[in-house]
Amino acid sequence: MIAETQIEVLERVLRELLAEHRTLVTLAERHREALRNADGPVVTEVSLERDRVNERIVALNAERIEITGAVAASLGANSERVTVRTLIESLGPARSARLTALADELRDAIEATRREHSILRDATAAFAGHLGGVLSRAVELCAPARTYTAAGRVAVSSTLPGALDVRH
C-alpha cells in the first residue's frame, strides 16, 4: 500500500524539478543575450547560477530516486527498475491524472533545457573561436618585429630592414 505522504513527497519533488528546469531555460536565454552583448561578467554570473541550479537538480533527483524506491518497495516491485510512470499508473485516477500531467510538463521542460543548452553550447564555441582569432591577430600585430607568429613559428612575411649596409 502506498502512503499518501509518499505521493505528496513525489509530487513536491516533481514540481521542484520542473521549476529548476524552467530556471535553466531562463538562464540559457540570459546567457545567449550576454553572448550577443559580449558581456563577460554576465556570462560568468549566469554560469555560476546554472551550476547552483544543477546542484539542486542533482539533489532533487536523488530524492526522487529514494522516494520512488520506497514506493516501489511498498508495492512489492523491484525498486531499481520502477519508473515514476509505473508508479503513477498504480494510483487512483484523480491523483494519477495530476501526476501524469506534472510528469509530462517535466519531460517537456527537460527537452527544452537540452535544446536550449545545445544551441548555447554551439554559440559559445563559435564565440570562443572568434575571440581566439581576434586575440591571435592582436598578438601578431603587436609583436615588435613580427618575426614570429602567435604560435611561436617564424612568420612568413617577416619584417625586413628597408635598407642594408653592404659596404663591409
Side-chain angles (χ1 to χ4, degrees), residues 60-126:
L60 286 168
N61 270 326
E63 191 175 351
R64 178 190 55 81
I65 290 168
E66 182 181 322
I67 192 65
T68 303
V71 172
S74 66
L75 290 173
N78 183 351
S79 62
E80 292 177 6
R81 294 195 179 146
V82 74
T83 64
V84 171
R85 288 268 178 216
T86 306
L87 295 178
I88 290 172
E89 291 170 3
S90 67
L91 302 174
R95 190 69 148 198
S96 177
R98 192 168 72 230
L99 285 174
T100 298
L102 183 58
D104 289 342
E105 280 185 78
L106 178 57
R107 185 183 64 239
D108 292 343
I110 290 170
E111 286 305 313
T113 300
R114 285 182 181 149
R115 188 175 46 254
E116 286 295 320
H117 281 87
S118 174
I119 293 167
L120 186 59
R121 181 188 62 237
D122 294 344
T124 302

